[in-house]
Amino acid sequence: MRLAIVGAGWAGLAAAVRAADQGHDVTVFEASHMLGGRARAVESPQLEHRIDNGQHIMLGAYADTFALMDRLGLDLAGTLQRTPLALESADGGFRLALPRLPAPWHLGGALLAARGLGARDKLALARIFRALQRNRWRVEAGTTVARWLRQHRQGARLQSLFWGPLCVAALNTPVEQACAQLFANVLRDSLGATPEACDVVISRADLSSLWPDHVEQMQPAHPHGRIEIRRGQPVRHLEVGKPGVSADMDAPPAATPISGRDGASTISIQPGVIVNGESFDAVILATNVPSARRLLAQLPVAPGQTPACHTLMRRLSAFRFIPIATVTLELEHPWNMPASMLQLHENRAAGHYGQWVFNNVAFMAQPAAPMLHIVISDAAQALEMGEAELVRRLQAQLAEQGRRFGPLPAVVKHELIAEKRATFAAVPGLERPQPRTPWPGVLLAGDWTDTGYPAVLEGAVRSGQAAVAALACADRT
Ligand SMILES: Cc1cc2nc3c(=O)[nH]c(=O)nc-3n(C[C@H](O)[C@H](O)[C@H](O)COP(=O)(O)OP(=O)(O)OC[C@H]3O[C@@H](n4cnc5c(N)ncnc54)[C@H](O)[C@@H]3O)c2cc1C
């Protein structure tokens, strides 16, 4: 089958690898010149280095992502830094580290040894995990994380040190709005699983060269499999089939004609799709939500499909997005911060917006220069103050909270990358679409489809693979 994939983010590329391995002839259209989508490398004009569009962490639970990298023949031990989960604040006042004990003793051990939490907080944490396990990781439908935490009497200190930072890091949505069930799903597959599933995994290379750049060179497992990636080629036009003409001229005549928009004259449309004027048998839209919506809006609605099409378009319109900002400080010399990643105490009233700090010399295989990446999720408010002021405040926050590592070295240059639509707001009741659409041969992939996860890399990879599986099912029906 000639398959078009729109978007070379982790979803689109995961779909491309799976489809080529199954023998499909895959063409990937990517608007940008860089591969990786929202997890990609960028050339920073300020720093004059290649950095990521935002610091990403993976969890040991990202099984499909690691299997994909393994499939591409990558040396996982060399390209990834993998460490047992240790949540530690820069000021050293809070630390919760998972010992390598079999589940569930890893959690008990972590709680017993936790620093900065009183006995009451530790008991409350043990109780809420027990309740989650008892309820098979289900929480009441429609509940926000804030409400769920209140129901389980999680104290203010526990919320500010543990739950708040964890929720905003995992869902990029503040606890008052975040969907408790999506959060519970992340907890189930990490803290609720094995200690290894909680491992923090950081790329030692930039995110595009981690695996997306390897896809073009891969040798598909199937002799007919092929991948062509067209960079800098946005898809602006999408059509389904052609009246009376088979979309794929080499393919046998179509089996399941559908009716055109004009129900009265019943135009016969053969399956197949036309992407920017070129014919394919099927397309996977692995773009962001607005782009997918714009492309689907170009398609005719067959009379019998009207409600299903309207439902899908309504669902796509319901997504809201939340920014993530990453400030990179290039230092005169490395800071004495030994960990790859530390938690910062966010206190917006005090002008402290930083949530996590990453020290590149602790994890990059070949750091271009000593750099700190400071991550601000749910960053709309932080971005209002302007770059210079934000950078000044973050430096002050780092100097204050990281005092134990000695004075912060002089900042030589800095870069602010604001991803305005970093992730969708992971709120309760959001109806996320399945890979299949009412249009035959048109499928969806992306972290925003119904993956059971918030907007994360593993969800993106799984969604791409799910779209290829749905394609195979559609092919058989
Ligand atoms: C700053 C930041 C930090 C993050 N941190 C983490 C983290 O620590 N851990 C984690 O697991 N996840 C994290 N995420 C989320 C993660 O990056 C996303 O879940 C994942 O990258 C989404 O991949 P995707 O393929 O679904 O979508 P995208 O990456 O958005 O890919 C869509 C692609 O489609 C292309 N495109 C769009 N329209 C068209 C068109 N019309 N024609 C051609 N191409 C088009 C785009 O250019 C893009 O390349 C973070 C995201 C950001 C932005």
Side-chain angles (χ1 to χ4, degrees):
M1 168 184 295
R2 270 204 89 202
L3 173 66
I5 296 178
V6 188
W10 288 37
L13 292 173
V17 171
R18 180 59 60 88
D21 275 344
Q22 292 180 1
H24 299 300
D25 178 359
V26 179
T27 304
V28 182
F29 294 84
E30 169 52 51
S32 157
H33 288 277
M34 211 54 114
L35 305 184
R38 274 172 286 149
R40 69 183 184 287
V42 292
E43 297 294 341
S44 157
Q46 313 273 5
L47 303 173
E48 297 166 275
H49 300 303
R50 200 173 160 157
I51 56 170
D52 289 334
N53 67 318
Q55 181 64 51
H56 281 63
I57 64 163
M58 292 167 271
L59 294 179
Y62 285 15
D64 289 84
T65 303
F66 302 134
L68 171 58
M69 293 185 206
D70 195 40
R71 152 72 193 87
L72 291 169
L74 306 179
D75 161 27
L76 296 193
T79 47
L80 299 173
Q81 183 190 66
R82 190 173 180 130
T83 47
L85 178 73
L87 299 175
E88 180 173 349
S89 60
D91 67 5
F94 169 67
R95 182 176 157 85
L96 190 139
L98 281 192
R100 279 272 190 253
L101 290 174
W105 306 109
H106 64 312
L107 269 181
L111 284 178
L112 276 178
R115 188 196 305 152
L117 295 177
R120 195 185 273 238
D121 287 333
K122 292 182 184 184
L123 269 176
L125 258 182
R127 269 202 315 267
I128 197 169
F129 275 107
R130 188 75 200 95
L132 273 175
Q133 277 162 340
R134 252 201 328 267
N135 295 331
R136 295 169 191 266
W137 306 91
R138 300 295 310 166
V139 297
E140 194 189 320
T143 310
T144 62
V145 172
R147 178 151 178 250
W148 174 68
L149 295 177
R150 275 198 303 276
Q151 282 169 351
H152 290 273
R153 302 212 176 93
Q154 305 292 293
R157 187 169 170 75
L158 201 49
Q159 294 205 28
S160 76
L161 284 178
F162 182 75
W163 288 119
L166 215 57
C167 174
V168 85
L171 277 69
N172 188 30
T173 308
V175 288
E176 299 77 27
Q177 297 166 30
C179 171
Q181 185 58 63
L182 278 183
F183 191 38
N185 293 353
V186 176
L187 295 172
R188 175 196 64 207
D189 293 349
S190 52
L191 288 165
T194 60
E196 292 74 22
C198 308
D199 282 353
V200 173
V201 181
I202 304 183
S203 175
R204 294 164 65 83
D206 70 67
L207 287 169
S208 292
S209 54
L210 174 61
W211 71 267
D213 287 348
H214 294 261
V215 172
E216 271 164 320
Q217 280 83 46
M218 79 170 247
Q219 190 60 48
H222 192 286
H224 295 142
R226 197 185 73 96
I227 297 183
E228 181 194 345
I229 300 183
R230 300 194 191 157
R231 300 172 189 234
Q233 287 207 22
V235 170
R236 298 215 166 86
H237 305 287
L238 184 66
E239 294 169 58
V240 279
K242 266 222 156 139
V245 179
S246 171
D248 181 357
M249 299 304 181
D250 299 330
T256 49
I258 60 167
S259 295
R261 187 201 300 269
D262 176 2
S265 55
T266 355
I267 307 164
S268 162
I269 296 183
Q270 311 295 327
V273 293
I274 302 175
V275 178
N276 279 358
E278 195 176 332
S279 294
F280 293 89
D281 297 302
V283 64
I284 296 177
L285 301 180
T287 66
N288 49 40
V289 179
S291 202
R293 196 180 184 287
R294 265 196 304 276
L295 290 170
L296 291 176
Q298 299 177 12
L299 302 181
V301 176
Q305 297 289 10
T306 308
C309 295
H310 285 174
T311 301
L312 175 57
M313 297 310 258
R314 182 180 44 75
R315 287 182 177 173
L316 296 181
S317 302
F319 280 85
R320 286 191 303 109
F321 300 93
I322 297 185
I324 298 179
T326 311
V327 170
T328 296
L329 305 178
E330 183 176 325
L331 306 177
E332 197 172 51
H333 58 82
W335 200 23
N336 195 19
M337 168 185 152
S340 297
M341 161 187 130
L342 288 173
Q343 195 175 322
L344 295 167
H345 295 303
E346 181 188 7
N347 180 352
R348 294 185 177 189
H352 291 168
Y353 284 84
Q355 294 156 353
W356 302 91
V357 55
F358 291 80
N359 182 14
N360 79 331
V361 294
F363 60 87
M364 286 301 271
Q366 292 170 323
M371 290 188 252
L372 300 176
H373 306 290
I374 303 147
V375 176
I376 308 171
S377 297
D378 183 24
Q381 200 186 340
L383 288 168
E384 278 169 15
M385 78 184 70
E387 180 172 341
E389 180 60 13
L390 180 60
V391 170
R392 191 189 65 73
R393 289 193 193 188
L394 290 175
Q395 273 181 251
Q397 183 185 1
L398 271 184
E400 186 182 318
Q401 297 183 4
R403 207 175 291 141
R404 65 183 167 137
F405 306 124
L408 188 66
V411 173
V412 195
K413 300 174 205 160
H414 70 260
E415 176 72 274
L416 163 68
I417 299 184
E419 284 279 355
K420 296 241 164 63
R421 283 202 202 116
T423 71
F424 63 83
V427 294
L430 189 66
E431 294 175 299
R432 294 162 64 186
Q434 298 295 321
R436 282 179 82 168
T437 73
W439 292 276
V442 180
L443 295 112
L444 301 175
D447 60 359
W448 45 274
T449 56
D450 191 12
T451 65
Y453 280 150
V456 290
L457 298 166
E458 176 74 357
V461 166
R462 289 189 189 180
S463 76
Q465 297 172 343
V468 176
L471 187 68
C473 292
D475 221 20
R476 279 196 297 272
T477 52

